[in-house]
């Protein structure tokens, strides 16, 4: 039977980030994609011009409808918008009965806030302790940990701190680190490093969404966390390297990139 995965996140009508990136990524990994929408953005590759939050009760009803019918084998969250949505999802977690990946989206690639200030506390106190893996970028890891991050050692410290207080696995993504693009995983008291290539391109719109969606798809297929991260990272790297240069701003990745763990670009 085909595995299903659910994303609870925001809509990006230009198709490169959010729900749209998650569904394309699930599909590319051969996983049946389901999507509960937590907010709408009005945006294209040049930026976000408006945001409309979906009421918590509608988010809850979308998730409950999915859980009552086509049960996902893994779930991820993306942009949730604020405290109400985060509290709603946190309350639903005990009914998930599968891994939960939280991408703590706070700011869009173009610098637009996708989480109100009240949401940061709710994210840290309500949602993080209930997830399997949280995947902050450097800016988000700084906010969640209180550690200033300028290098890999700082990223290690931030991952350790978040993992220790929330008692979850933490993947601090190094894509924005000055030296290289190494990611740090804190898992059960141990730090692991995933070296990456720094790719010179402006087309990175939705790379965080795509990465966490790829991890979620692989967890839905039964992969353990470390191989899932390794394969997902190789996919995102290839998707950035072969980005189709669409749009007049920060363009999307190539969601048709190969999904195997090696770097040949071959599809599974
Ligand atoms: O990549 C973060 C992100 C998440 N969700 C939505 C977005 C973005 C970035 O632009 O638009 C809806």
């Amino acid at each position: 039977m085909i595995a299903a995965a659910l994303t609870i996140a925001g809509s990006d009508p230009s198709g490169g980030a959010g729900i749209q990136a998650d569904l394309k990524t699930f599909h590319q990994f051969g996983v049946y994609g389901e999507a509960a929408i937590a907010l709408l953005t009005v945006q294209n590759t040049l930026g976000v011009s408006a945001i409309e939050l979906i009421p918590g009760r509608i988010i809850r009803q979308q998730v409950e409808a999915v859980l009552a019918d086509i049960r996902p084998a893994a779930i991820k969250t993306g942009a949730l918008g604020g405290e109400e949505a985060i509290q709603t999802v946190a309350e639903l977690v005990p009914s998930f009965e599968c891994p939960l990946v939280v991408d703590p989206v706070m700011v869009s690639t173009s610098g637009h806030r996708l989480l109100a200030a009240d949401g940061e506390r709710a994210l840290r106190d309500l949602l993080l302790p209930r997830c399997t893996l949280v995947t902050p970028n450097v800016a988000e890891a700084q906010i969640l940990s209180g550690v200033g991050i300028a290098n890999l050692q700082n990223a290690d410290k931030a991952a350790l701190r978040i993992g220790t207080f929330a008692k979850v696995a933490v993947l601090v993504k190094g894509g924005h680190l000055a030296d290289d693009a190494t990611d740090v995983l804190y898992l059960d008291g141990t730090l692991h490093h995933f070296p990456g290539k720094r790719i010179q391109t402006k087309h990175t719109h939705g790379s965080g969404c795509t990465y966490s969606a790829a991890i979620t798809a692989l967890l839905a297929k039964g992969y353990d966390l470390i191989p899932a991260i390794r394969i997902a990272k190789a996919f995102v790297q290839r998707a950035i390297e072969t980005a189709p240069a669409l749009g007049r701003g920060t363009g999307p990745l190539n969601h048709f990139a190969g999904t195997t763990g090696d770097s040949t670009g071959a599809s599974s």
Side-chain angles (χ1 to χ4, degrees):
M1 202 174 69
I2 187 169
L6 168 66
T7 172
I8 308 168
S11 166
D12 167 9
S14 71
I19 288 276
Q20 288 80 355
D22 293 343
L23 288 177
K24 290 174 190 181
T25 305
F26 291 164
H27 188 89
Q28 189 67 358
F29 279 89
V31 168
Y32 179 82
E34 303 185 287
I37 298 188
L39 62 86
L40 302 177
T41 69
V42 176
Q43 70 174 301
N44 57 26
T45 64
L46 295 169
V48 177
S49 58
I51 295 183
E52 194 76 23
L53 303 189
I54 305 293
R57 82 190 143 76
I58 302 293
I59 298 171
R60 173 189 301 277
Q61 287 169 19
Q62 292 177 77
V63 173
E64 285 174 347
V66 168
L67 293 180
D69 189 21
I70 305 175
R71 280 205 82 90
I75 299 177
K76 71 156 275 190
T77 61
L80 294 172
E83 189 174 16
E84 183 178 322
I86 289 173
Q87 186 158 353
T88 300
V89 174
E91 285 168 12
L92 286 163
V93 173
S95 64
F96 287 174
E97 297 171 0
C98 66
L100 171 64
V101 176
V102 170
D103 186 4
V105 176
M106 294 178 185
V107 177
S108 77
T109 319
S110 54
H112 209 97
R113 259 200 109 93
L114 294 173
L115 183 68
D118 63 4
E120 285 173 14
R121 189 197 51 79
L123 187 68
R124 192 172 44 229
D125 297 346
L126 302 179
L127 197 51
L128 287 206
R130 300 181 191 197
C131 76
T132 311
L133 172 71
V134 59
T135 63
N137 61 25
V138 164
E140 293 155 354
Q142 289 188 143
I143 290 169
L144 291 173
S145 68
V147 175
I149 304 176
N151 55 39
L152 194 57
Q153 287 68 39
N154 304 148
D156 283 351
K157 189 172 168 191
L160 191 64
R161 190 166 294 179
I162 299 167
T164 311
F165 80 66
K167 298 191 172 54
V168 293
V170 183
L171 183 66
V172 176
K173 297 171 292 186
H176 297 95
L177 280 179
D179 28 10
D180 60 22
T182 297
D183 298 340
V184 178
L185 173 70
Y186 170 89
L187 176 64
D188 296 331
T190 305
L191 291 169
H192 305 260
H193 286 164
F194 298 83
K197 243 196 279 179
R198 171 158 296 284
I199 303 160
Q200 283 313 323
T201 176
K202 66 171 184 168
H203 301 304
T204 56
H205 178 60
S207 45
C209 310
T210 301
Y211 192 6
S212 56
I215 295 168
T216 305
L218 288 155
L219 294 177
K221 291 170 83 164
Y223 282 77
D224 287 335
L225 196 50
I226 289 178
I229 291 170
R230 197 170 292 130
I231 296 168
K233 187 169 175 65
F235 170 71
V236 173
Q237 201 163 287
R238 276 194 294 271
I240 295 173
E241 278 167 346
T242 58
L246 293 173
R248 291 182 293 131
T250 304
L253 315 190
N254 171 27
H255 288 105
F256 296 110
T259 57
T260 52
D262 61 35
S263 56
T264 62
S267 206
S268 61

